[in-house]
Amino acid sequence: MRKHLIIFSTGFAQVFLVSANTYFISRTTWFGIAVCGFGISYLWTINVRKVSIGTKKEQLLYATGAMLGGLAGVMMAKLI
């Protein structure tokens, strides 16, 4: 169960940052772009290995986390 939560969370976090970064780029918010860009790249290095060798369930959990992370990233970026 803990492993599934971690996979969901990393998918959520990465796409959360991508969504927020897209918003920041469109508004030329330099600090947001820098923080999100670093976070996206760092999480990507962690996620590639986890998802590529994961089970179908783990891949679906990752994708669900990514979907919700995208929605939450835009909502957070709009609040900033």
Side-chain angles (χ1 to χ4, degrees), residues 16-17 19-24 27 29 36 71-80:
F16 176 93
L17 291 171
S19 297
N21 201 31
T22 302
Y23 189 85
F24 292 140
R27 286 162 177 69
T29 307
C36 289
L71 296 170
V74 171
M75 290 189 312
M76 185 280 308
K78 285 185 78 167
L79 291 173
I80 293 178

Side-chain angles (χ1 to χ4, degrees), residues 5-18:
L5 181 60
I6 291 170
I7 288 171
F8 176 90
S9 297
T10 57
F12 179 95
Q14 184 171 357
V15 180
F16 176 93
L17 291 171
V18 169

Side-chain angles (χ1 to χ4, degrees), residues 52-77:
S52 67
I53 62 171
T55 65
K56 185 60 68 181
K57 181 179 180 179
E58 291 168 344
Q59 291 169 343
L60 289 171
L61 282 168
Y62 180 86
T64 302
M67 173 191 66
L68 295 174
L71 296 170
V74 171
M75 290 189 312
M76 185 280 308

Side-chain angles (χ1 to χ4, degrees), residues 20-61:
N21 201 31
T22 302
Y23 189 85
F24 292 140
I25 289 168
S26 72
R27 286 162 177 69
T28 320
T29 307
W30 298 109
F31 182 75
I33 294 167
V35 170
C36 289
F38 177 85
I40 292 163
S41 297
Y42 184 74
L43 283 172
W44 180 81
T45 64
I46 295 168
N47 292 343
V48 168
R49 185 177 37 212
K50 285 182 189 174
V51 177
S52 67
I53 62 171
T55 65
K56 185 60 68 181
K57 181 179 180 179
E58 291 168 344
Q59 291 169 343
L60 289 171
L61 282 168

